[in-house]
């Protein structure tokens, strides 16, 4: 199978420069022939075990095997990668991130730091990474402070030069992994493309179409706001404000996509309370996400919130630097499919809703 590539070629320039990666579709065997020159493979150990061709490529060169998952996104993992990558030349070295979003995140940070920046190639092996985290140049690691884990607390922008989409690497994904990637893809569709959302609502797309559509939508947004300085890219945070907090409360037992799904339900509730989202729109979107995507029920969020006080929840929600506004939390709310609004939500509104979520009741 011959790989297909986007027409956009990678640019050369300073580390962290915004660019659109060369997007290549094909088999891993065909695309891996492109791995030439000084290189380091950062690979999810489970992917290496599942796919002999991945393992052969990685073990035949300098490599770091990590166990994918939130536990991989820490300073210890970053230090391991930096140590192995220390011999890479800045002008020609490349880090290949082969795994899901957590592998891509920590590898992105490393690629930015090694010799003040080396090339990066993203090889997503999960649907979530393919539609979301492998795009947009963001990488981050989590930090522990005062006994609490803060997600994505230290990060960089470092855009990939290439992205390989090898669909056979998605064949071993289970239903839960497909669901979490689908939630992020549908999030982009409902926020950015009402016609596509309507079409998806009538008939859910196949995996290949979902990946292509989601990547195109996110690329358009990131191209307009590559470093999150213009406010355009904030639309991608729909469902993330409460979602990240719920994810942390679960001890990361909830997947990122599952937490974002709950965060979307929460954002619909906030939209109702703030008069931004009508009852008709909120009910329709919720029903579609439940039917087509399999978002988890509110009761799951309610059980997690039972373990924390209102103050602790607000601390988690406001841990994001974008939310450090006294008495308010900035959120992306949905007016209708394809139209979003950035709203400063009084903390009192979130407190009242949290009490309803704890009871697993719609406010």
């Amino acid at each position: 199978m011959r790989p297909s590539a986007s027409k956009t070629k990678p640019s050369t320039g300073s580390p962290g420069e915004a660019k659109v990666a060369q997007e290549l579709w094909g088999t891993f065997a065909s695309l891996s022939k492109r791995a030439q020159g000084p290189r380091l493979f950062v690979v999810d150990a489970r992917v290496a075990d599942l796919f002999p061709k991945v393992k052969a490529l990685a073990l035949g060169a300098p490599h770091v095997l990590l166990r994918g998952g939130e536990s991989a996104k820490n300073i210890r993992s970053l230090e391991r990668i930096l140590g192995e990558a220390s011999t890479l030349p800045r002008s020609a070295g490349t880090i290949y991130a082969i795994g899901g979003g957590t592998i891509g995140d920590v590898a992105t940070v490393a690629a930015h730091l090694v010799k003040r920046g080396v090339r990066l190639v993203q090889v997503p092996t999960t649907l979530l990474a393919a539609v979301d985290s492998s795009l947009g140049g963001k990488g981050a690691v989590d930090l522990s402070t005062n006994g609490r884990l803060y997600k994505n607390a230290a990060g960089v922008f470092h855009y990939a030069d290439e992205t390989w989409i090898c669909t056979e690497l998605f064949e071993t994904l289970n239903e839960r992994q497909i669901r979490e990637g689908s939630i992020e893809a549908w999030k982009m569709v409902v926020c950015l493309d009402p016609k596509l959302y309507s079409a998806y609502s009538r008939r859910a797309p196949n995996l290949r179409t979902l990946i292509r559509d989601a990547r195109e939508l996110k690329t358009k947004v990131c191209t307009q706001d590559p470093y999150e300085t213009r406010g355009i890219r904030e639309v991608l945070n729909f469902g993330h404000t409460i979602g990240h907090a719920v994810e942390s409360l679960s001890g990361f037992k909830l997947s990122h996509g599952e937490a974002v799904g709950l965060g979307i339900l929460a954002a619909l509730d906030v939209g109702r309370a703030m008069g931004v989202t009508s009852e008709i729109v909120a009910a329709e979107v919720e029903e579609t996400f439940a039917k087509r995507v399999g978002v988890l029920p509110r009761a799951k969020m309610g059980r997690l919130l039972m373990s924390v006080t209102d103050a602790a929840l607000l601390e988690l929600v406001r841990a994001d630097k974008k939310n450090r506004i006294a008495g308010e939390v900035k959120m992306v709310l949905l007016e209708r499919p394809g139209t979003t609004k950035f709203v400063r939500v009084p903390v009192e509104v979130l407190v009242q809703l949290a009490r309803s979520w704890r009871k697993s009741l719609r406010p």
Side-chain angles (χ1 to χ4, degrees), residues 59-353:
L59 300 188
H63 64 274
V64 174
L65 293 178
L66 296 173
R67 205 74 172 164
E70 203 65 31
S71 61
K73 285 176 53 173
N74 55 48
I75 296 298
R76 294 184 302 278
S77 296
L78 179 60
E79 189 174 22
R80 283 184 60 194
I81 299 170
L82 293 176
E84 290 293 332
S86 61
T87 59
L88 289 178
R90 179 180 178 184
S91 59
T94 304
I95 289 179
Y96 292 80
I98 306 177
T102 55
I103 299 298
D105 266 4
V106 69
T108 296
V109 177
H112 190 78
L113 296 178
V114 172
K115 304 294 175 65
R116 298 188 177 88
V118 295
R119 294 179 72 252
L120 174 67
V121 175
Q122 293 274 10
V123 188
T125 64
T126 66
L127 179 58
L128 180 61
V131 303
D132 186 32
S133 60
S134 64
L135 291 151
K138 291 170 71 173
V141 293
D142 302 335
L143 297 178
S144 295
T145 304
N146 298 325
R148 191 178 292 278
L149 188 66
Y150 290 94
K151 187 177 173 67
N152 299 332
V156 300
F157 282 99
H158 194 85
Y159 281 78
D161 288 81
E162 296 180 8
T163 303
W164 301 352
I165 306 296
C166 310
T167 55
E168 78 271 21
L169 299 181
F170 308 139
E171 292 174 358
T172 59
L173 298 179
N174 59 36
E175 182 179 345
R176 185 184 185 194
Q177 292 168 316
I178 295 293
R179 179 175 65 227
E180 74 160 338
S182 296
I183 288 171
E184 280 284 6
W186 276 74
K187 173 210 71 177
M188 285 181 264
V189 172
V190 74
C191 288
L192 299 169
D193 195 326
K195 290 183 178 179
L196 190 59
Y197 172 73
S198 180
Y200 276 20
S201 299
R202 293 191 300 271
R203 183 177 181 179
N206 61 38
L207 196 65
R208 192 178 186 90
T209 299
L210 185 70
I211 293 171
R212 283 193 181 278
D213 288 343
R215 287 183 64 84
E216 182 177 349
L217 287 171
K218 182 165 183 179
T219 297
K220 286 180 180 178
V221 171
C222 293
T223 299
Q224 296 176 71
D225 190 10
Y227 302 114
E228 290 189 326
T229 57
R230 301 178 60 194
I232 298 171
R233 190 160 163 167
E234 289 184 20
V235 67
L236 300 175
N237 291 328
F238 181 60
H240 285 63
T241 304
I242 304 298
H244 278 168
V246 170
E247 188 178 6
S248 295
L249 288 174
S250 76
F252 298 98
K253 292 178 181 177
L254 274 183
S255 70
H256 175 70
E258 289 172 331
V260 168
L262 291 173
I264 287 172
L265 298 185
L268 293 175
D269 291 347
V270 175
R272 287 188 183 100
M274 295 295 293
V276 174
T277 312
S278 71
E279 180 63 36
I280 292 174
V281 168
E284 189 280 324
V285 171
E286 181 171 343
E287 181 180 359
T288 298
F289 269 69
K291 179 180 178 182
R292 294 296 190 191
V293 196
V295 66
L296 296 176
R298 255 184 200 78
K300 182 68 177 178
M301 181 165 58
R303 285 193 292 271
L304 288 170
L305 292 178
M306 291 294 289
S307 65
V308 294
T309 63
D310 294 336
L313 173 62
L314 290 173
E315 181 185 355
L316 278 175
V317 170
R318 298 181 63 200
D320 191 319
K321 62 182 180 296
K322 296 183 290 295
N323 277 324
R324 292 189 176 172
I325 307 163
E328 296 176 330
V329 173
K330 188 176 181 182
M331 291 186 66
V332 181
L333 303 180
L334 187 72
E335 290 189 337
R336 58 186 176 275
T339 304
T340 54
K341 186 175 183 179
F342 305 103
V343 178
R344 298 190 187 281
V345 180
V347 294
E348 293 83 2
V349 171
L350 292 182
V351 168
Q352 288 298 117
L353 288 170

